[in-house]
Amino acid sequence: MKISQILAENPVTLSFEVFPPKTEDNLAGIEKVSEEIAALKPQFMSVTYGAAGGASEYTAKLASSIQNDFGTTVLAHLTCVSMDKTKLDEMISIYQREGIENIMALRGDIPEGGRTTFDYMYAADLVRAIKEEAPDFCLGGACYPEGHVESDSHSEDIKHLKEKVDAGCDFLTTQMFFDNSTMYNFMYRIREAGIEVPVLAGIMPITNAKQVARSVKLSGATIPQRFRLMVDKFGYDPNKMKQAGVIYAAEQIIDLIANGVTHIHVYSMNKPEIVAGIMDNMSEILK
């Protein structure tokens, strides 16, 4: 099923992201984790693309297992990094053969040492190329409530986001954020800019103290004082921190849904117990 249809038919959606292994040896373990997450009945699951495209074959294998073996609609990622026309044709053919209807088109992280040779500079270029070659795919794109770390201003970032949507994105998913007021302000600004596609709020449950610095470095997300106090209080104890992180994420999601942001995508980090913990905290709300 296309994700655009899922979003249109369900007033509230909860979806989860998993990432593929780097080597064949770990594929069976990641498939087992993904099966456990799929058993919790999310509306769909996304599978990330290997760094610099190096694990693209495992993205395709894992995405196929989730959809064809575990019965869950899948969103398979593609990135511009290390992507040329030949590789894009190959990945599109694989996804079509496996019955995958949804692609998340991203620029991807530039490798250390600068840009490598690839045919698509920005996500909008990749979106446009996919739409031209295989218009039946439902395409997602990324957006950044606090602005992309490489953008000079929020206005410039939203301008580029509009270009991506105009190129053919059917929905957007945000980078992680920890203060919902940031999301509400972002939604107001993009709607004012004429961006009307559905937006999924990306939530990252922080379940150990070491994740904080890493998450901030990757996303540029602001850490609110309430969150800092939680980490200061419970970060020393893995079990307490895991429970506190799950509750914080669940409370974020509940507040978002109460304020009209009803499509939620959780960066699960391949941890079924985190997914289950969030769903347990929201069991009645998700009915």
Side-chain angles (χ1 to χ4, degrees):
M1 180 180 288
K2 292 184 178 180
I3 289 172
S4 55
Q5 183 180 348
I6 291 173
L7 299 178
E9 294 179 356
N10 295 272
V12 176
T13 65
L14 190 62
S15 54
F16 298 100
E17 180 175 284
V18 294
F19 54 83
K22 294 181 180 179
T23 65
E24 181 80 31
D25 293 345
N26 295 321
L27 181 60
I30 301 297
E31 285 182 333
K32 183 177 185 301
V33 163
S34 299
E35 184 176 14
E36 291 179 34
I37 294 174
L40 296 169
K41 303 299 182 184
Q43 267 74 31
F44 68 89
M45 292 169 62
S46 71
V47 182
T48 64
Y49 205 62
S56 59
E57 62 184 293
Y58 305 126
T59 296
K61 287 180 179 179
L62 185 58
S64 177
S65 292
I66 289 170
Q67 180 150 302
N68 299 315
D69 298 334
F70 311 149
T72 299
T73 297
V74 76
L75 170 64
H77 289 208
L78 284 180
T79 66
C80 294
V81 175
S82 297
M83 183 70 68
D84 58 21
K85 178 69 165 57
T86 300
K87 182 67 174 179
L88 180 61
D89 290 346
E90 176 190 344
M91 294 307 299
I92 285 176
S93 295
I94 291 171
Y95 290 162
Q96 287 175 326
R97 185 184 69 223
E98 298 300 330
I100 294 167
E101 299 180 276
N102 307 287
I103 292 176
M104 186 75 169
L106 306 165
R107 189 196 71 177
D109 296 326
I110 300 298
E112 291 185 15
R115 181 179 181 273
T116 59
T117 301
F118 45 93
D119 291 346
Y120 309 101
M121 177 72 77
Y122 301 110
D125 301 326
L126 185 58
V127 169
R128 199 172 292 111
I130 297 169
K131 279 294 184 184
E132 289 175 356
E133 181 166 340
D136 288 342
F137 276 107
C138 175
L139 298 186
C143 57
Y144 305 86
E146 298 184 67
H148 193 283
V149 292
E150 297 176 14
S151 287
D152 293 330
S153 67
H154 286 289
S155 297
E156 179 189 1
D157 194 46
I158 291 174
K159 175 185 174 184
H160 292 315
L161 182 61
K162 181 70 162 58
E163 292 171 357
K164 187 158 45 179
V165 172
D166 290 345
C169 275
D170 298 292
F171 66 93
L172 300 168
T173 303
T174 77
Q175 179 60 274
M176 70 186 79
F177 59 92
F178 302 101
D179 184 346
N180 285 1
S181 62
T182 301
M183 180 66 178
Y184 303 139
N185 180 60
F186 174 71
M187 290 297 297
Y188 174 80
R189 295 188 67 178
I190 65 170
R191 296 311 189 209
E192 284 286 295
I195 297 172
E196 298 295 338
V197 296
V199 179
L200 286 71
I203 299 297
M204 169 73 85
I206 301 294
T207 55
N208 69 73
K210 291 181 180 179
Q211 275 184 279
V212 178
R214 186 164 62 248
S215 298
V216 170
K217 181 180 179 181
L218 288 173
S219 67
T222 300
I223 303 297
Q225 183 65 8
R226 173 171 169 257
F227 188 90
R228 292 182 187 276
L229 291 173
M230 179 189 76
V231 176
D232 287 344
K233 181 68 175 178
F234 304 116
Y236 73 94
D237 186 310
N239 291 327
K240 290 180 180 179
M241 186 62 215
K242 179 182 287 188
Q243 185 176 54
V246 167
I247 292 171
Y248 188 96
E251 288 180 348
Q252 253 195 292
I253 295 169
I254 290 167
D255 181 77
L256 288 165
I257 293 172
N259 283 278
V261 180
T262 58
H263 301 303
I264 312 296
H265 191 62
V266 178
Y267 302 112
S268 69
M269 302 302 292
N270 292 10
K271 296 179 179 178
E273 71 276 13
I274 302 302
V275 173
I278 289 173
M279 297 188 80
D280 284 347
N281 275 275
M282 301 177 56
S283 57
E284 292 301 317
I285 291 168
L286 294 172
K287 283 184 178 178

